[in-house]
Amino acid sequence: MWSPSGVTQKSDYAVIDYHSLIPPSIIAACQTRLAGAARSTPMTPAPLSAWGEDQVPPHYVKAECLQSAGSHTYRGAFLALDDLDPPQLRRGVVAASTGPYALALMYARRYWPELRRITVVLPNSNSSLSELLPELGADVRLHSGTSRDRERAAQRIARESGQTFLLTSGRAAVCGAATVAREMLNEQPDLAAIIAPVGSGALLAGIVSAAAAHPTPVRVIGAEPLGAGTCYSSHQTGTRVLVRTSSPTGLAADLDHGAPARYPWHIWRDRVDMVQVTDADIRAAMDYLLWHHHLGASAAGATAMAAALAFPDRLPDGPVGVLCSGGPLASTSHLSAPSSRACAWADLPLAA
């Protein structure tokens, strides 16, 4: 295994109760395991160019879009692979993903040469990754069903093939997410809140765990696209809301998981605030991140910034940490016309 410390392997996860926060000792151990394999991505303050704009709260952007594979999911994917023993690695792994986790697995596999077989079940609407991932060596299976249907399909493939099924929102994913928030709070300990995009809820659960261990109170705010309102609706009602749709719509459709993942839900449901943002909010945030932070963020990556700009009155006094994670900008089609032209003039590199 990659782990330099030999700690926090599968047996150590067993001490985490189903409803409990991730203990600080395990978050720290996971950060040690990630050292040298995952980047400690930069936090950039609101630049001078944004000062004086009424809708811009004091903030720091955590540029996790610069992480390997363009997303925080790389951390969880790495930890999940690091938990496997050599025979499991040789048999291969299978996972269901909306896209980012699948790409993260392909980036992380370089640390385990014996891992030769990675099967990913993707929604059939994700045409760009379904073309890219096979070039990276993945066995891609397209599925027309819901997120839960794709997960069941991946489990069936694992039973039939002998591969290990990886739960994309399991303990490894939550622990990986917790290391992101731990970095943010170590670098800026006076943060009053952290805003993060919401998909399955694993990222929220990790941030909540890290924030709970911080010596001063830190509010955690989840930002969800209006068209993918399952986590928002679940938070409002206090029960997991499932929406059966096989074709999510909206700019940040890859954040639509159909329902909050069961394990993270029990961690974050009573410990966060939630807001919803529109496609127009997300476009404005993509423009803002490009012009003021020089980050080419995808729609999913800009969702938290959209919440900060759209709801400044909902934020506490003091600086806010905004997590930009969800993949790099792959197309300028969602930007305003001036921003699209700026990308062309600057020859901004886009994601493959």
Side-chain angles (χ1 to χ4, degrees):
M1 295 188 185
W2 160 260
S3 175
S5 58
V7 297
T8 318
Q9 304 300 332
K10 287 184 291 185
S11 60
D12 298 288
Y13 288 133
V15 306
I16 306 174
D17 181 76
Y18 194 69
H19 298 267
S20 297
L21 298 163
I22 306 297
S25 59
I26 289 185
I27 299 174
C30 287
Q31 201 155 29
T32 299
R33 290 169 61 189
L34 287 166
R39 300 170 185 169
S40 179
T41 50
M43 279 187 75
T44 59
L48 291 174
S49 58
W51 287 18
E53 295 191 16
D54 293 338
Q55 293 297 105
V56 180
H59 66 272
Y60 292 85
V61 170
K62 175 68 167 171
E64 194 69 5
C65 57
L66 302 180
Q67 185 58 260
S68 295
S71 169
H72 71 280
T73 54
Y74 171 80
R75 299 174 187 244
F78 179 93
L79 291 173
L81 292 178
D82 195 37
D83 285 335
L84 303 181
D85 55 36
Q88 289 175 308
L89 289 167
R90 285 192 290 271
R91 289 193 297 270
V93 298
V94 57
S97 170
T98 58
Y101 193 90
L103 189 59
L105 284 174
M106 302 314 296
Y107 272 73
R109 71 180 298 183
R110 65 184 182 271
Y111 292 97
W112 294 276
E114 64 271 41
L115 176 60
R116 299 183 181 277
R117 188 179 183 189
I118 297 178
T119 302
V120 293
V121 181
L122 293 178
N124 57 8
S125 57
N126 198 331
S127 58
S128 58
L129 276 183
S130 65
E131 295 173 2
L132 171 64
L133 289 170
E135 296 179 7
L136 298 177
D139 177 9
V140 174
R141 313 288 181 89
L142 298 179
H143 199 286
S144 60
T146 65
S147 179
R148 182 62 183 137
D149 294 333
R150 292 193 297 273
E151 189 174 293
R152 291 194 182 102
Q155 290 171 328
R156 184 171 59 252
I157 292 170
R159 289 193 301 270
E160 294 172 354
S161 66
Q163 294 170 275
T164 297
F165 171 71
L166 299 181
L167 185 60
T168 60
S169 56
R171 286 178 168 86
V174 174
C175 287
T179 66
V180 182
R182 189 172 189 264
E183 286 178 8
M184 296 175 72
L185 293 169
N186 283 346
E187 186 169 340
Q188 296 295 334
D190 60 341
L191 289 180
I194 295 176
I195 311 175
V198 181
S200 68
L203 178 57
L204 274 189
I207 293 173
V208 162
S209 296
H214 198 61
T216 57
V218 180
R219 276 179 59 191
V220 179
I221 302 171
E224 188 175 55
L226 190 60
T230 56
C231 285
Y232 181 87
S233 299
S234 299
H235 184 259
Q236 294 293 101
T237 61
T239 184
R240 290 174 68 242
V241 173
L242 283 70
V243 177
R244 294 191 62 83
T245 174
S246 57
S247 301
T249 58
L251 296 185
D254 52 340
L255 290 178
D256 189 346
H257 285 249
R262 190 180 301 275
Y263 165 60
W265 159 251
H266 290 289
I267 296 176
W268 66 259
R269 62 178 180 179
D270 297 322
R271 297 181 170 105
V272 304
D273 296 324
M274 291 284 295
V275 297
Q276 288 186 300
V277 294
T278 66
D279 280 359
D281 295 330
I282 292 172
R283 283 193 185 93
M286 293 173 73
D287 281 353
Y288 175 85
L289 288 167
L290 179 64
W291 286 103
H292 295 294
H293 287 272
H294 308 295
L295 289 174
S298 68
T303 300
M305 192 72 246
L309 297 176
F311 301 101
D313 55 319
R314 300 275 295 272
L315 302 178
D317 294 333
V320 173
V322 179
L323 181 53
C324 181
S325 177
L329 181 66
S331 167
T332 61
S333 61
H334 297 156
L335 296 171
S336 67
S339 292
S340 295
R341 289 195 295 271
C343 286
W345 291 334
D347 195 24
L348 181 70
L350 303 180

